[in-house]
Amino acid sequence: MYQQPLQPVAGSLALSAACAALPLLTLFLLLGVVRARAWVAAFGALAVAVVLAWALWRMPLAQTLLAAGQGATFALFPLVWTFGTAIWIYRMTVHTGHFDTLRRGFARISDDRRVQAMVIAFCFGSLLEALAGQGTPVAVTTVMLLALGFTPVRAATVALVANTVPAAFGPLGLPITTLAGVTGLPATELGMMAGRQVPVVAVVVPLVLLVVVDGRRGVRELWRPALACGAAFALAQFATANFLTAALADIAAAFAGAGVLLLVTRRARRPVPVPA
């Protein structure tokens, strides 16, 4: 059975790590410098990864190609399938004229788009992550943010930043159980440890979302509701992961964060334009 060497490049961990980063660097260069199409950049990064695995890490060629094929298949199904479906839903709502209906429905949450972004991307996205995962929360909440008038880049950025914390527990604690299966450590203890670390980051994520949506003004005007949302989210995540089960951590946190945020911001605010 093939065992991955940790220091294949000149016996140096630093050089080995630098070489391992080459596929990611290739992706960034092709996308940002060469301006290649996304699928071209992706295949270029995959090719570099295959060569490195075979030449430097001495992975058998058959296993290297099999691993590359499995990774590509997983990227297509369900990830690309999920995002493709979300784009199709977005275009369908625009074509049928229901986009304005979505916009009015979301506006009932709050007149302030910054609050809407926290509720939809952070709280509702966490619920989607807990129930579905696999890129679903990012794809769905991005479409919802587009309906609110966010630009595509800003909507995707908000959705991705908001998904950083919920992804640690994934769909019904799948990352925890997977880690337990790989390491042989008890899933309960791993979930409890994650429940003590991830909530620390969760407290500040709504504040980061305010920065992304409205810069310093957003933080200055809404730091109290954002901090309350993050604190409620974090406390629910901590309590659920440590005293119940990690599988329900994101679900409990989503409801707690949304409930506290809506309670704090129950008074209507003036709509705030989202910068392009």
Side-chain angles (χ1 to χ4, degrees), residues 147-170:
L148 293 174
F150 285 76
T151 62
V153 173
R154 192 175 297 273
T157 302
V158 170
L160 287 169
V161 171
N163 193 238
T164 52
V165 171
F169 293 97

Side-chain angles (χ1 to χ4, degrees), residues 16-218:
S16 300
C19 290
L22 288 177
L24 186 60
L25 181 61
T26 301
L27 180 66
F28 289 156
L29 288 176
L30 290 177
L31 286 176
V33 179
V34 182
R35 301 291 183 180
R37 293 186 177 182
W39 69 269
V40 174
F43 275 108
L46 177 62
V48 172
V50 168
V51 172
L52 290 175
W54 174 69
L56 295 184
W57 272 262
R58 303 298 180 183
M59 188 176 187
L61 182 60
Q63 293 186 23
T64 302
L65 296 177
L66 179 61
Q70 288 178 334
T73 302
F74 183 78
L76 291 173
F77 303 98
L79 297 181
V80 172
W81 179 265
T82 301
F83 281 97
T85 304
I87 294 173
W88 175 77
I89 292 174
Y90 165 69
R91 291 182 175 178
M92 179 184 66
T93 57
V94 172
H95 180 72
T96 58
H98 286 84
F99 213 65
D100 289 335
T101 303
L102 286 174
R103 190 192 305 272
R104 291 192 298 270
F106 298 149
R108 294 177 183 175
I109 299 174
S110 172
D111 292 332
D112 195 323
R113 290 182 181 177
R114 299 168 297 184
V115 175
Q116 294 168 347
M118 288 188 285
V119 172
I120 293 172
F122 186 56
C123 299
F124 183 60
S126 177
L127 182 62
L128 290 177
E129 179 67 37
L131 299 177
Q134 308 294 347
T136 302
V138 175
V140 173
T141 57
T142 297
V143 174
M144 297 172 73
L145 292 173
L146 287 173
L148 293 174
F150 285 76
T151 62
V153 173
R154 192 175 297 273
T157 302
V158 170
L160 287 169
V161 171
N163 193 238
T164 52
V165 171
F169 293 97
L172 297 178
L174 180 61
I176 304 299
T177 55
T178 301
L179 181 61
V182 172
T183 61
L185 299 174
T188 302
E189 294 185 10
L190 290 174
M192 294 173 64
M193 184 57 65
R196 297 165 190 166
Q197 296 175 344
V198 177
V200 177
V201 182
V203 174
V204 300
V205 169
L207 295 172
V208 177
L209 292 180
L210 289 179
V211 174
V212 174
V213 174
D214 198 29
R216 294 182 179 179
R217 182 181 65 169

Side-chain angles (χ1 to χ4, degrees), residues 223-267:
W223 68 268
R224 291 182 180 86
L227 193 59
C229 174
F233 189 100
L235 288 174
Q237 212 173 41
F238 169 81
T240 306
N242 282 274
F243 301 109
L244 293 176
T245 173
L248 301 178
D250 281 345
I251 297 177
F255 284 108
V260 170
L261 179 60
L262 294 179
L263 182 64
V264 174
T265 59
R266 63 186 181 275
R267 293 183 179 179

